[in-house]
Amino acid sequence: MGCSRANVRYPLMLTILGFAMIATFLVLIMMKKMSPIAALVLIPALFCVFVGKGAKLGDYVIEGVTSLAPTAAMLMFAIVYFGVMIDVGLFDPIVRGILKFCKADPMRVVVGTAILAAIVSLDGDGSTTFMITVSAMYPLYKRLKMSLVVMTGVAAMANGVMNTLPWGGPTARAATALKLDASDIFVPMIPALAVGLLAVFVLSYFLGLRERKRLGVLTLDEVLVEEKEAESVLVGAAGSGGSGTAKSPASTGGSGSGTDAEGDAEDDERFQALDPNRATLRPKLYWFNALLTVALLTAMIMEWLPIPVLFLLGAALVLTVNFPHIPDQKARLAAHADNVLNVSGMVFAAAVFTGVLQGTGMVDHMAKWMVDVIPEGMGPHMALVTGLLSLPLTYFMSNDGFYFGVLPVLAEAGAAHGVTPLEMARASLVGQPLHMSSPLVPAVYVLVGMAKVEFGDHTRFVVKWAALTCLVILAAGMLFGII
């Protein structure tokens, strides 16, 4: 009898501790009591001891690091690749086109951010999307003193909707887990996803109006004149001690940076990316770089080679061709070392968090508990339940954990009440706009790291809007009879 009670209590304890660990992490980083890296490492280590499995902490961490090592390698070389492409001027025409569209109007800037992120997301990789979007939009947000968390939030939501593409990951996982065809899941969902993307654009419009009301509207010429007077390196005044637009705390949008001399120097270096006279430009190699990037993205989509290998080869090639002299190559690597270290450090720290969450069994018991508390009467509405559950579960779990661990259980329960696996699979995609801002998604650290936004500030801003976008997709899917 005593043994039976213990068997019941232990899973319940793991469930409670799992939710407590995630809640503790989110509260501490949103209150800025700990840095994300420290919180990702220390909190799971502490809870691993609470669970009574402290002796296995090393095994859990190694398992987590092993599973995320390819992702870390991909991000490291992707940052170098796209960083060099920005240096040599590949994206300058895109930036100039965005500047022409935006006309220094905050509303247009925010909408332009959403459109750019959605278009770039067609490659199916969140990290690539965030690197290109932030590189293009960051200087404009800084020049206009706009909130950077608006940029990160809008980009994350647009990418989250587009992440449902068959080659993006979640759809393929759902198809594999339920033994379905990916096109049968995705194609009927297109109307609902289109409504979701439209919701992101509408939200961007209203967020932009809010920024316009706060800042007003300048002409591009007025902005450039202000920067010239402030000796900003953006318009070629290299050697300036600091940018006049980077010193206001309001300009960071809560990013936690930009108020000290070191932050200003970093921002000046970022502004120089648009200097039409910078020494790193390679106009004669523009079409080589463009074709190489198209080839790389095509190879990613077609899965000709693993993504880490593609970016490793791409980074080596682009460095060698554009900067044949070794000192120049070292200088480019040094220029991007800060971003590489930040992002790769976050990924390996997240490996501790995911390793403990999965190794101790907490994530399995959390998922089982959430499935078990579904009332019996909700059986015929399991697609709706799955759509709602996809919000918290894909936020607190990896996509692999949700699609391969939870979705089959939900689908089995739905099948008993006549709900088809296709409906369940489509409903499971609903939570992706929120999932892209999960602390377990490595790409989000690329986003906040390059934008110099605190992860806690990004989380506090984006969760409510991303959840609303998910609910819009779910409502549209039910209205159209897709889910």
Side-chain angles (χ1 to χ4, degrees), residues 155-404:
M157 287 185 287
N159 178 252
V161 176
M162 298 298 289
N163 192 45
T164 55
L165 291 166
W167 54 88
T171 303
R173 287 182 175 91
T176 303
L178 300 184
K179 297 179 175 58
L180 302 169
D181 187 274
S183 62
D184 291 338
I185 299 172
F186 176 74
V187 174
M189 274 294 286
I190 290 176
L193 295 171
V195 171
L197 190 59
L198 179 61
V200 173
F201 293 154
V202 172
L203 176 60
S204 303
Y205 173 77
F206 284 105
L207 291 173
L209 287 180
R210 191 171 71 178
E211 286 294 282
R212 179 198 281 176
K213 183 178 180 180
R214 183 172 70 88
L215 300 168
V217 181
L218 294 172
T219 66
L220 195 57
D221 289 339
E222 287 173 333
V223 174
L224 293 176
V225 166
E226 283 186 9
E227 290 179 351
K228 193 169 184 179
E229 290 173 352
E231 296 186 337
S232 168
V233 294
L234 177 61
V235 290
S240 165
S243 167
T245 64
K247 292 182 181 179
S248 168
S251 71
T252 66
S255 70
S257 68
T259 58
D260 56 21
E262 184 179 352
D264 290 342
E266 290 175 357
D267 288 337
D268 284 349
E269 186 175 344
R270 294 284 294 280
F271 285 158
Q272 199 169 9
L274 285 181
D275 180 0
N277 300 312
R278 61 187 185 273
T280 58
L281 283 177
R282 297 293 185 269
K284 293 181 179 179
L285 293 170
Y286 182 84
W287 289 111
F288 167 80
N289 291 321
L291 291 173
L292 178 62
T293 301
V294 170
L296 180 64
L297 296 180
T298 302
M300 284 173 53
I301 294 171
M302 301 302 293
E303 299 182 350
W304 290 338
L305 283 173
I307 295 179
V309 176
L310 288 171
F311 275 115
L312 194 157
L313 294 173
L317 184 59
V318 77
L319 274 172
T320 303
V321 173
N322 288 277
F323 301 96
H325 302 295
I326 292 179
D328 293 336
Q329 293 179 14
K330 288 182 178 179
R332 289 303 90 214
L333 289 172
H336 302 292
D338 184 40
N339 277 334
V340 170
L341 182 60
N342 269 335
V343 173
S344 58
M346 286 284 194
V347 172
F348 285 121
V352 180
F353 196 92
T354 56
V356 170
L357 202 60
Q358 293 171 359
T360 57
M362 284 192 277
V363 70
D364 295 330
H365 289 291
M366 289 164 60
K368 186 176 184 301
W369 177 82
M370 295 193 76
V371 172
D372 288 344
V373 297
I374 298 172
E376 183 67 25
M378 291 299 293
H381 309 289
M382 280 303 293
L384 171 62
V385 171
T386 299
L388 292 173
L389 283 178
S390 71
L391 274 71
L393 289 179
T394 57
Y395 187 80
F396 295 137
M397 301 171 64
S398 67
N399 269 342
D400 286 340
F402 175 70
Y403 285 103
F404 295 123

